[in-house]
Amino acid sequence: MQEMAELERRITAALERIGAGLEGLTSVAALAEPAENPLQAELDDEKMANAQLTERLRAVKERDAATIARLEAQVEKMTRQLDAQGLELQRMRKTTIQLREHLRSLRTAQSENVAEPHLVNKTMLAELEALRATRQSEMAEMDEILSELTPLIEEARADA
């Protein structure tokens, strides 16, 4: 019996030593793991940096896409305004040419001392058309100015 008790004590002591040894190995392994694998830590840092850069890039691309869309809309608007002004300019040139021709005819008739009422009427109609073309051009310019001022006015109202 005494031998049994002695064996039991020895086995218990051995198990305690084994348990203590295992605890020591796991704590040493936990402490040694980062030191043993510095590349893994660097890889994890690089993965984190890469994820952050990817997120920043996505945000920049979204912001750039919004800016590009806004600029494209502005270019389209300005192109329409330029087309309208071009049409008004053509109309004014055509009217000015007609007015010059009628004035030349009127001067020729005046120099010959011939009063031609239809030449006076044509000249006045051409001048009236030139005034209309000028007014249309000015209206187009005012519309352009108003279209630029409207967002500023709305922004000022929103801030107030």
Side-chain angles (χ1 to χ4, degrees):
M1 253 320 178
Q2 224 176 9
E3 278 184 20
M4 239 354 178
E6 181 63 27
L7 286 175
E8 188 178 327
R9 185 189 62 76
R10 287 174 72 189
I11 290 174
T12 305
L15 286 175
E16 286 176 8
R17 283 192 309 261
I18 291 172
L22 285 176
E23 287 177 12
L25 284 177
T26 56
S27 64
V28 169
L31 293 174
E33 189 172 318
E36 289 177 0
N37 200 353
L39 294 178
Q40 183 64 37
E42 287 182 36
L43 179 63
D44 291 341
D45 291 343
E46 290 300 320
K47 283 182 180 179
M48 180 66 77
N50 189 17
Q52 290 173 348
L53 289 174
T54 302
E55 182 62 28
R56 287 182 191 164
L57 181 62
R58 185 189 60 75
V60 167
K61 283 183 179 180
E62 287 177 1
R63 187 181 65 223
D64 286 349
T67 301
I68 288 171
R70 182 179 48 82
L71 289 174
E72 285 176 348
Q74 190 175 8
V75 165
E76 183 180 330
K77 177 182 166 187
M78 290 179 152
T79 301
R80 279 185 272 127
Q81 289 174 345
L82 188 61
D83 289 344
Q85 286 180 346
L87 290 173
E88 289 302 319
L89 183 62
Q90 278 182 330
R91 182 177 173 197
M92 286 180 68
R93 284 181 181 162
K94 180 182 170 186
T95 304
T96 303
I97 290 170
Q98 286 176 349
L99 183 59
R100 284 181 185 165
E101 289 174 3
H102 291 302
L103 286 172
R104 191 176 304 123
S105 300
L106 192 59
R107 268 188 249 127
T108 305
Q110 182 68 27
S111 66
E112 295 173 359
N113 288 328
V114 178
E116 299 275 339
H118 74 283
L119 288 177
V120 173
N121 286 342
K122 282 184 176 180
T123 303
M124 289 184 65
L125 287 174
E127 187 174 353
L128 188 60
E129 184 60 30
L131 289 172
R132 285 185 185 133
T134 302
R135 182 174 184 276
Q136 289 294 326
S137 175
E138 289 172 351
M139 286 180 65
E141 189 174 346
M142 288 301 292
D143 287 343
E144 180 182 334
I145 291 169
L146 284 175
S147 70
E148 292 297 321
L149 287 177
T150 301
L152 296 174
I153 293 169
E154 290 174 0
E155 183 177 317
R157 283 183 184 162
D159 290 343

